[in-house]
Amino acid sequence: MQTHILGYPRIGSKRELKKACEQYWAGKIVLEELLTVGRNICNQNWNIQKEAGINLIPCNDFSYYDQVLDMSLIVGAIPTRYHEVALKKNNSELDLYFAMARGYQKDGLDITAMEMTKWFDTNYHYIVPEFYKNQQFKLTSDKIFNEFAGAKQAGINAKPVIIGLVSYLLLGKEKEEGFDKLDLVPNILPVYIEILSKLQTQGAEWIQFDEPFLALDITDNAKEAYLKVYSELRKQFPKLKFIIATYFEGLKNNASLAASLPTDILHIDLVRNPEQLDEVLESIPDNVGLSLGVVDGRNIWKNDYEKSLSFIKKTIEKLGTERVFIAPSSSLLHSPCDLEFETNLDPEIKNWLAFAKQKVKEVVDLKELASNTENSTVLTDFEENKKSIASRKTSSLIHNEIVKQRAEAITERDSQRKNTFPVRREEQQKVLQLPLFPTTTIGSFPQTSEVRNWRAKFKKGELTAGEYDALLKKETQRTIRWQEEIGIDVLVHGEFERNDMVEYFGEQLEGFTFTKNGWVQSYGSRCVKPPIIFGDVFRPDPMTVYWSQYAQSQTNQWVKGMLTGPVTILQWSFVRDDQPRSETCKQIALAIRDEVNDLEKAGIRIIQIDEPAIREGLPLRKSDWQNYLKWAVEAFRISASGVEDATQIHTHMCYSEFNDIIKNIADMDADVITIECSRSQMELLNAFADFKYPNEIGPGVYDIHSPRVPSKEEMIKLLKKAQDVIPAHQLWVNPDCGLKTRHWDETEKALIAMVAAAKEASLEYSV
């Protein structure tokens, strides 16, 4: 039996990579300083796994921004618009790489970033590869070889992790018509062969190919590609040992395909789909081993050793010990780094948790226990594990009968607005009196270092509650005045009192707890600290009314109340696994409903309930979609349906493909939906146009995830594209997302241009 890790968090235990990247982008450190931080994180990660006793330690799981973007750079899938960046005198390979991720606006160049979207059903975002007909590929980066050499220097013959060729192509997007991205297999396969040849020369013995699409619904064309690619790779490299890793779902109808691929080890996710084990054991050939993903790579609950051992022992009985590998279900990228840094957690709750470093130990413990160890330390750990699992099942912290009864009493009427949208729209227009192409923002404004410093001082007791409140009011008032001055129609208060759009609400809801250092990567240098939902959820007191009322009192214009929706709070938290997610979501929906109703009573007539994660939560298999969409849409409607017709409900979604679920988006029945559209150049709007989406829509006209400032003319062009497919009276004008992570100078320039673009579009339409 052997142990291995599919991937380890790369942000650093104290977010060292985030800080170094942002300093490099700001010109505060030089390239070598950034590279040093990266090398230190790699060495730290390798040593943690080595000291724990992991047999196969991964390399090339580190990334300065995104592993898919790494692969694009390695195989030379660099869009032509970036070639000039590479030619600039002082630019490094990493500068080209960051330009692809973030856009580039200097040296006389103004280049948009590549598209970004969700990594399957996680809150991690990857940079979407761009593909063209007859595209040629070539090896253009040594990153993977440098990391392997670095591991070897640290005394580790590491297992390089590579995004499998077929999954890499399926992750990308055809940027012209008339071809299928899988047509590019013959063009890119020689580059993969060159990569493996160099790694073999360096002394690599094992290669991990990540092929998550084997756990999805795939076409016959994709199945043929899998057989062709791995047959050729095996033919070229008979001595290299291959691990094909699948995760986030079960193989199901692809089990026989996966088992037939010429690999040495097949990895399956037994956390997401434990039912697949029997079928895989029946179909796996005698010369192939099985890697059991029994430790949850995506959640923070301690592993139930007895449950995992039942899977391991069943597999040993069928295959023998030598063909069994033990691993987390997926890369630990989605887990916080180390529970040891958490000193403020309730000890009872902390005893139920395991972060990445602890999960590495769990993998090793399971191997020892499955080997019938007599190691007294491991046997003691086993007994402690049993007690921990049992204590969580019976803890009084978890259950609240009043909450459960309220959720059970929900009826269909509770998820219905009083009247249909056409009736509501008329009532809303009477009250709100908004112009054609009304402008707004998505909610947050830049949180400067000064604002973050106030929050830190308040938490440390260096500012009183009154002093902190006064500072936030001053910043809110300034932001209201500025929005009025530039002519935005529907204002926001800026959310300066908030840390994170989920954490802020979780801190005020029962059933949640929080970490100090439980950071995970969302995209690039952006890290989030998901709350932990451990018990039944309810709202003891109003959460946002105070600041919404204050902001509205400062202006005669409408100010939106800003809330995070129940599905997004669920998706962006570490969720309890002892009841269906749908039940937890319904409890959150009722808490948000109470807040919406209180905002309306306080005179707030426009309320935004953000649901950027609703598409992300969609199951990876289409056969499971309708059950999820039924309870997810119902949860949103429960949260939004307690108000009068004249109160306008907005929602926001970003980085989602809507084509397959557009009817369900319409079923949410929000009066206004704002979506990310600028990176896709309004392509996402086609789904709304084809469906004849009946309600109002705000397609984002500029990309807030890039530091570049778009011109008024660029936004006008996007608005015209929008008008080609959506009637003008349905259109709002707004950025793609919240502005919290941006700087004020770029925000001011971009929003002034946005308002000017909306006014010009309105004038042209009127003429």
Side-chain angles (χ1 to χ4, degrees):
M1 241 184 309
Q2 294 203 60
T3 56
H4 72 124
I5 303 297
L6 275 67
Y8 201 81
R10 65 251 189 150
I11 59 175
S13 57
K14 299 286 180 67
R15 292 185 295 161
E16 295 93 329
L17 184 63
K18 167 194 173 62
K19 295 163 188 172
C21 281
E22 291 176 357
Q23 286 178 317
Y24 180 70
W25 297 335
K28 295 178 180 178
I29 63 172
V30 297
L31 178 63
E32 185 53 40
E33 291 175 283
L34 174 59
L35 295 175
T36 298
V37 171
R39 286 191 290 266
N40 289 343
I41 292 171
C42 287
N43 279 295
Q44 183 184 53
N45 291 350
W46 294 329
N47 287 330
I48 286 170
Q49 295 170 74
K50 183 180 180 180
E51 289 169 9
I54 293 294
N55 300 120
L56 295 181
I57 295 169
C59 68
N60 200 46
D61 55 332
F62 175 81
S63 175
Y64 284 98
Y65 203 96
D66 165 52
Q67 70 270 16
V68 183
L69 181 61
D70 291 348
M71 205 68 217
S72 293
L73 190 68
I74 289 167
V75 302
I78 302 166
T80 55
R81 65 184 181 277
Y82 299 106
H83 289 183
E84 284 190 74
V85 176
L87 294 173
K88 288 290 180 182
K89 184 178 178 182
N90 294 319
N91 280 350
S92 66
E93 177 184 286
L94 212 52
D95 292 316
L96 168 63
Y97 173 84
F98 287 139
M100 293 163 69
R102 307 176 70 240
Y104 192 88
Q105 198 170 38
K106 62 181 179 179
D107 303 328
L109 299 177
D110 187 0
I111 307 170
T112 57
M114 294 173 71
E115 273 190 64
M116 184 163 65
T117 196
K118 293 294 178 75
W119 176 251
F120 300 94
D121 59 350
T122 75
N123 187 29
Y124 177 78
H125 304 65
Y126 74 93
I127 303 295
V128 181
E130 298 182 9
F131 297 132
Y132 299 86
K133 190 174 184 180
N134 301 320
Q135 185 170 346
Q136 298 303 304
F137 301 88
K138 65 178 181 178
L139 185 59
T140 55
S141 172
D142 291 332
K143 174 188 180 291
I144 188 169
F145 314 117
N146 293 339
E147 282 190 32
F148 181 80
K152 215 163 190 184
Q153 194 173 0
I156 297 165
N157 195 28
K159 170 194 61 170
V161 177
I162 302 173
I163 298 175
L165 188 155
V166 181
S167 285
Y168 173 69
L169 290 177
L170 291 174
L171 286 165
K173 192 171 186 178
E174 296 100 340
K175 299 302 285 186
E176 60 182 342
E177 296 180 357
F179 83 108
D180 184 324
K181 52 198 170 187
L182 289 175
D183 296 343
L184 299 173
V185 167
N187 298 18
I188 196 172
L189 183 53
V191 184
Y192 271 73
I193 290 170
E194 187 178 356
I195 292 168
L196 295 192
S197 179
K198 286 196 170 193
L199 287 169
Q200 184 171 252
T201 301
Q202 284 183 282
E205 297 175 8
W206 287 90
I207 305 290
Q208 176 183 312
F209 294 103
D210 281 4
E211 290 285 9
F213 276 92
L214 279 170
L216 273 64
D217 301 310
I218 54 174
T219 64
D220 290 341
N221 197 17
K223 293 175 183 178
E224 289 173 16
Y226 272 115
L227 292 168
K228 177 180 178 180
V229 166
Y230 284 99
S231 295
E232 184 60 28
L233 291 179
R234 174 52 73 211
K235 177 183 171 184
Q236 294 284 340
F237 303 98
K239 294 183 179 179
L240 277 178
K241 296 174 184 176
F242 294 167
I243 298 174
I244 294 180
T246 68
Y247 40 79
F248 300 159
E249 242 298 356
L251 291 170
K252 298 183 180 178
N253 59 326
N254 295 328
S256 59
L257 168 65
S260 70
L261 296 176
T263 188
D264 296 277
I265 301 291
L266 177 64
H267 173 83
I268 58 174
D269 184 338
L270 291 179
V271 175
R272 274 300 182 90
N273 188 234
E275 298 81 11
Q276 67 178 313
L277 180 59
D278 290 337
E279 185 176 359
V280 173
L281 285 175
E282 288 301 316
S283 57
I284 197 163
D286 293 340
N287 63 337
V288 177
L290 194 59
S291 169
L292 305 176
V294 288
V295 172
D296 195 342
R298 290 182 53 176
N299 213 330
I300 41 69
W301 303 109
K302 189 173 282 188
N303 186 264
D304 183 339
Y305 282 0
E306 284 192 303
K307 182 179 178 182
S308 294
L309 286 169
S310 68
F311 294 131
I312 296 168
K313 288 176 178 177
K314 177 187 277 192
T315 307
I316 289 172
E317 287 173 11
K318 178 76 174 177
L319 305 183
T321 55
E322 290 186 3
R323 291 169 62 196
V324 177
F325 280 48
I326 302 172
S329 58
S330 66
S331 169
L332 297 175
L333 168 70
H334 312 286
S335 294
C337 290
D338 190 353
L339 186 62
E340 291 173 14
F341 292 121
E342 301 306 324
T343 54
N344 292 347
L345 279 172
D346 181 309
E348 184 176 3
I349 296 173
K350 186 175 180 178
N351 187 43
W352 302 335
L353 307 180
F355 291 178
K357 185 177 180 181
Q358 289 69 43
K359 290 175 186 293
V360 169
K361 183 181 183 300
E362 289 180 336
V363 168
V364 175
D365 278 358
L366 287 168
K367 173 190 171 179
E368 290 290 312
L369 292 167
S371 303
N372 298 313
T373 185
E374 294 183 6
N375 183 321
S376 59
T377 302
V378 175
L379 291 173
T380 300
D381 288 346
F382 189 20
E383 292 306 312
E384 291 300 316
N385 179 268
K386 290 177 186 176
K387 292 176 184 175
S388 178
I389 298 300
S391 75
R392 186 170 162 229
K393 289 177 181 176
T394 57
S395 173
S396 59
L397 291 176
I398 290 176
H399 303 289
N400 185 308
E401 285 306 315
I402 295 173
V403 174
K404 293 182 192 298
Q405 289 167 13
R406 186 185 180 195
E408 287 171 5
I410 286 288
T411 66
E412 187 176 349
R413 185 71 195 88
D414 294 310
S415 61
Q416 305 286 335
R417 293 288 295 269
K418 290 183 171 61
N419 283 295
T420 59
F421 174 70
V423 175
R424 300 198 308 265
R425 187 177 191 277
E426 194 171 322
E427 290 300 308
Q428 289 163 19
Q429 191 56 24
K430 283 179 191 173
V431 173
L432 302 176
Q433 297 185 345
L434 296 171
L436 193 66
F437 300 111
T439 54
T440 191
T441 63
I442 303 306
S444 58
F445 267 81
Q447 289 217 351
T448 61
S449 56
E450 190 177 30
V451 171
R452 294 194 300 272
N453 190 40
W454 296 340
R455 186 181 302 123
K457 284 185 173 181
F458 174 60
K459 287 184 175 179
K460 291 175 186 174
E462 295 173 13
L463 283 177
T464 67
E467 289 169 333
Y468 183 51
D469 191 71
L471 288 168
L472 292 178
K473 281 182 175 175
K474 184 178 177 183
E475 189 73 4
T476 301
Q477 189 181 66
R478 186 182 73 80
T479 302
I480 291 287
R481 292 284 88 78
W482 183 78
Q483 291 173 84
E484 289 176 328
E485 287 167 13
I486 69 164
I488 290 180
D489 298 305
V490 175
L491 314 185
V492 297
H493 76 282
E495 303 179 12
F496 303 109
E497 78 284 4
R498 305 186 188 185
N499 39 22
D500 173 82
M501 66 181 288
V502 174
E503 186 174 14
Y504 178 76
F505 290 94
E507 285 175 340
Q508 300 179 80
L509 295 169
E510 293 296 324
F512 284 74
T513 193
F514 301 87
T515 62
K516 287 177 66 179
N517 294 287
W519 299 99
V520 293
Q521 187 180 20
S522 177
Y523 67 87
S525 68
R526 170 76 169 142
C527 300
V528 293
K529 192 153 54 72
I532 297 168
I533 305 177
F534 67 87
D536 290 330
V537 177
F538 66 96
R539 185 198 75 148
D541 299 293
M543 301 180 286
T544 67
V545 174
Y546 177 82
W547 284 107
S548 294
Q549 266 190 314
Y550 174 75
Q552 188 62 79
S553 73
Q554 299 301 302
T555 180
N556 292 323
Q557 292 179 235
W558 295 111
V559 178
K560 280 192 290 189
M562 300 300 307
L563 305 172
T564 302
V567 179
T568 298
I569 290 177
L570 181 88
Q571 282 296 126
W572 292 358
S573 299
F574 292 120
V575 184
R576 60 189 291 192
D577 58 0
D578 61 336
Q579 71 176 13
R581 291 170 71 87
S582 57
E583 289 301 311
T584 304
C585 196
K586 188 182 288 186
Q587 292 177 1
I588 302 169
L590 286 167
I592 300 300
R593 181 189 181 94
D594 292 343
E595 188 71 13
V596 169
N597 292 348
D598 280 350
L599 283 169
E600 184 184 54
K601 288 173 191 170
I604 307 301
R605 287 291 170 262
I606 303 176
I607 302 169
Q608 184 169 306
I609 308 170
D610 287 340
E611 283 292 19
I614 201 158
R615 176 64 174 80
E616 170 193 316
L618 201 64
L620 298 179
R621 295 288 190 151
K622 286 191 175 181
S623 58
D624 301 322
W625 280 15
Q626 287 312 309
N627 178 54
Y628 161 76
L629 287 167
K630 183 177 184 297
W631 62 255
V633 170
E634 180 190 36
F636 178 84
R637 293 180 66 132
I638 288 169
S639 69
S641 294
V643 295
E644 299 298 324
D645 288 344
T647 297
Q648 190 176 73
I649 297 293
H650 290 223
T651 191
H652 170 67
M653 300 179 189
C654 55
Y655 295 104
S656 297
E657 297 287 347
F658 296 113
N659 302 56
D660 294 328
I661 62 166
I662 188 65
K663 182 184 182 302
N664 308 97
I665 300 297
D667 287 344
M668 291 170 68
D669 199 26
D671 298 305
V672 182
I673 179 174
T674 52
I675 60 170
E676 178 277 321
C677 263
S678 65
R679 281 204 183 195
S680 68
Q681 294 293 298
M682 294 291 164
E683 282 181 24
L684 288 177
L685 268 189
N686 292 333
F688 290 85
D690 294 342
F691 180 73
K692 293 184 170 52
Y693 186 75
N695 299 12
E696 296 179 15
I697 183 165
V701 294
Y702 84 89
D703 174 23
I704 70 90
H705 296 87
S706 167
R708 70 178 290 274
V709 176
S711 65
K712 178 187 79 171
E713 289 70 28
E714 187 178 328
M715 294 192 220
I716 288 171
K717 194 177 290 185
L718 289 175
L719 275 173
K720 285 179 178 175
K721 280 189 176 184
Q723 288 178 72
D724 287 342
V725 292
I726 301 288
H729 68 270
Q730 288 179 247
L731 287 172
W732 284 63
V733 183
N734 46 262
D736 273 347
C737 203
L739 300 161
K740 175 183 171 184
T741 60
R742 298 268 55 92
H743 297 293
W744 267 108
D745 57 343
E746 63 199 48
T747 296
E748 289 172 351
K749 291 172 188 172
L751 288 182
I752 288 168
M754 185 191 82
V755 171
K759 286 180 179 175
E760 190 163 320
S762 181
L763 284 171
E764 285 186 16
Y765 183 81
S766 301
V767 171

